[in-house]
């Protein structure tokens, strides 16, 4: 069977900034919500949908100031 008019939405995580140009598969962002309008999807169809964000300072956690590259002989 075919799924008609498939729409997928995802809300940007709190305290993050969307990386410009990172939304894949024709998704659009409006008011912190990303929407992908996939149209009709046949049985077994699949799509990869993604976006990238940068955590704001208010997101908590820690700031990494040293590189993480390790060299071994």
């Amino acid at each position: 069977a075919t799924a008609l008019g498939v729409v997928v939405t995802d809300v940007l995580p709190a305290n993050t900034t969307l990386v410009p140009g990172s939304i894949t598969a024709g998704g659009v962002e409006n008011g912190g919500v990303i929407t992908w309008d996939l149209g009709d999807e046949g049985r077994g169809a699949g799509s990869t949908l993604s976006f990238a964000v940068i955590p704001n300072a208010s997101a908590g956690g820690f700031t990494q100031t040293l590189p993480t590259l390790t060299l071994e002989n």
Side-chain angles (χ1 to χ4, degrees):
T2 298
L4 304 176
V6 177
V7 175
V8 177
T9 60
D10 199 352
V11 177
L12 290 173
N15 301 310
T16 63
T17 300
L18 179 66
V19 174
S22 69
I23 303 173
T24 64
V28 294
E29 185 270 336
N30 186 11
V33 177
I34 300 173
T35 303
W36 292 269
D37 185 349
L38 304 179
D40 299 344
E41 293 282 322
R43 176 175 286 182
S47 296
T48 299
L49 311 173
S50 64
F51 61 93
V53 296
I54 298 172
N56 299 333
S58 59
F62 64 93
T63 301
Q64 181 174 332
T65 57
L66 299 173
T68 59
L69 176 63
T70 301
L71 299 176
E72 296 181 11
N73 292 333

